[in-house]
Amino acid sequence: MEQTYPTLPQGVHKASPVWQRVHLRYLSTSQEVQKYAACLHLAPTPPNIIIVDDVSEFMLSRPTDKRSREAELIKTLALLHEATASLHRYHACTCCVQSI
């Protein structure tokens, strides 16, 4: 499923050279997102962008009490924040200024 592309706009073909640079990951739990974010700096060629769609869906499969869900969400977002900071350093990105 990782190589299944989303529905493309009309006129864009899956064989387009742009799609050769796109790598999709379908993660189903917050733990998978956390593991991916925590290990991203170890990738031989880190991505230029990370898109996480519908973070709230990950939290629905987590513990039922509100405090635990919030803690899980905070941990997930913190790891994603650190991963993006690492990507900024790797790619020497100056387009986004982060205040840490």
Side-chain angles (χ1 to χ4, degrees):
M1 182 170 198
E2 287 190 11
Q3 292 303 316
T4 304
Y5 294 104
T7 304
L8 301 174
Q10 186 175 0
V12 177
H13 193 269
K14 292 178 184 177
S16 171
V18 173
W19 283 108
Q20 301 306 312
R21 297 176 18 210
V22 174
H23 302 281
L24 302 175
R25 301 247 187 259
Y26 290 93
L27 306 174
S28 11
T29 66
S30 58
Q31 287 86 9
E32 289 179 357
V33 174
Q34 291 171 10
K35 182 178 177 182
Y36 180 75
C39 296
L40 199 56
H41 68 284
L42 300 173
T45 307
N48 290 324
I49 187 171
I50 301 171
I51 299 172
V52 180
D53 185 31
D54 208 0
V55 173
S56 62
E57 274 298 310
F58 294 117
M59 298 304 120
L60 293 177
S61 63
R62 295 307 305 146
T64 55
D65 65 287
K66 185 178 178 180
R67 188 175 180 98
S68 295
R69 275 197 314 270
E70 288 175 351
E72 188 74 17
L73 176 61
I74 290 167
K75 182 177 180 180
T76 302
L77 294 176
L79 285 165
L80 286 169
H81 174 75
E82 289 300 315
T84 57
S86 175
L87 292 177
H88 281 262
R89 288 189 297 275
Y90 177 83
H91 294 295
C93 179
T94 58
C95 62
C96 304
V97 178
Q98 289 188 352
S99 57
I100 297 177

